[in-house]
Amino acid sequence: MDFKQLLGHLNDPATALTPGLVEFNTDGRRHEAEKQSSPLTQALLKDDPDFIRLFKLWDDQKSKRQYQEVHLVMDAFSTIIRQSQFDATFDVAVTSMVRKLVAEYHRGIGMALASNRFTHMKASVRLVTALVSHDRATARSILHHLDLNSPAFYNMSKKRN
């Protein structure tokens, strides 16, 4: 998939999540395994440095009160954060995105962690891991915003896989 196709998918609500973000996440994981930054991620950062499209997709999921596909958006954010370690030019935009995720979207992350849906929990754990590994201040903010003593987290620790 090239960047024009990805933009076409992201701008169309019917195809933004599937196949748009699915292909973006797959490409990002492949490049991450090779320890390099994805050209799709680089192009997305140049085109949309404030990640307006991704935050809008998350907000659309939240407004529908479904959160059925929010794990795809979380995976996209975690892919971008993890790839920022391979390319220093991402640092300013990614740091801004991380701050916004922690400040405004921490409830959605916590809800996904506490949900009974495996895909949401897995994507949420990946996102929290990427956020914590980004820098120390973000790690402290995550500890401050997420209630790790919640019974939902205890139940999550008992689940396998």
Side-chain angles (χ1 to χ4, degrees), residues 45-131:
L45 275 165
K46 287 178 186 170
D47 185 65
D48 187 11
D50 295 327
F51 303 98
I52 294 169
R53 287 183 186 96
L54 291 178
F55 282 118
K56 184 179 181 320
L57 288 173
W58 191 325
D59 290 338
D60 288 346
Q61 288 292 309
K62 188 170 35 175
S63 67
K64 293 177 185 176
R65 299 255 185 235
Q66 295 178 5
Y67 280 107
Q68 291 179 353
E69 305 294 331
V70 76
H71 64 280
L72 296 173
V73 181
M74 287 183 180
D75 277 341
F77 279 124
S78 62
T79 298
I80 292 168
I81 294 168
R82 285 192 308 267
Q83 285 189 17
S84 70
Q85 66 185 337
F86 304 127
D87 192 348
T89 58
F90 292 168
D91 201 36
V92 173
V94 171
T95 300
S96 171
M97 175 195 64
V98 164
R99 301 281 184 254
K100 185 172 182 175
L101 279 170
V102 171
E104 298 175 22
Y105 291 85
H106 66 274
R107 287 183 190 215
I109 296 169
M111 285 175 45
L113 276 171
S115 75
N116 289 327
R117 301 181 93 183
F118 176 73
T119 54
H120 290 154
M121 290 183 340
K122 188 175 178 181
S124 181
V125 167
R126 274 194 209 127
L127 180 57
V128 169
T129 303
L131 288 169

Side-chain angles (χ1 to χ4, degrees), residues 144-159:
H144 175 72
H145 285 291
L146 292 179
D147 179 19
L148 298 177
N149 293 323
S150 170
F153 294 118
Y154 178 74
N155 292 336
M156 183 180 69
S157 69
K158 291 182 174 184
K159 294 185 181 188

Side-chain angles (χ1 to χ4, degrees), residues 21-32 79:
L21 284 184
V22 171
E23 292 293 325
F24 177 77
N25 293 337
T26 303
D27 180 67
R29 284 194 191 104
R30 184 169 25 97
H31 282 87
E32 191 179 316
T79 298

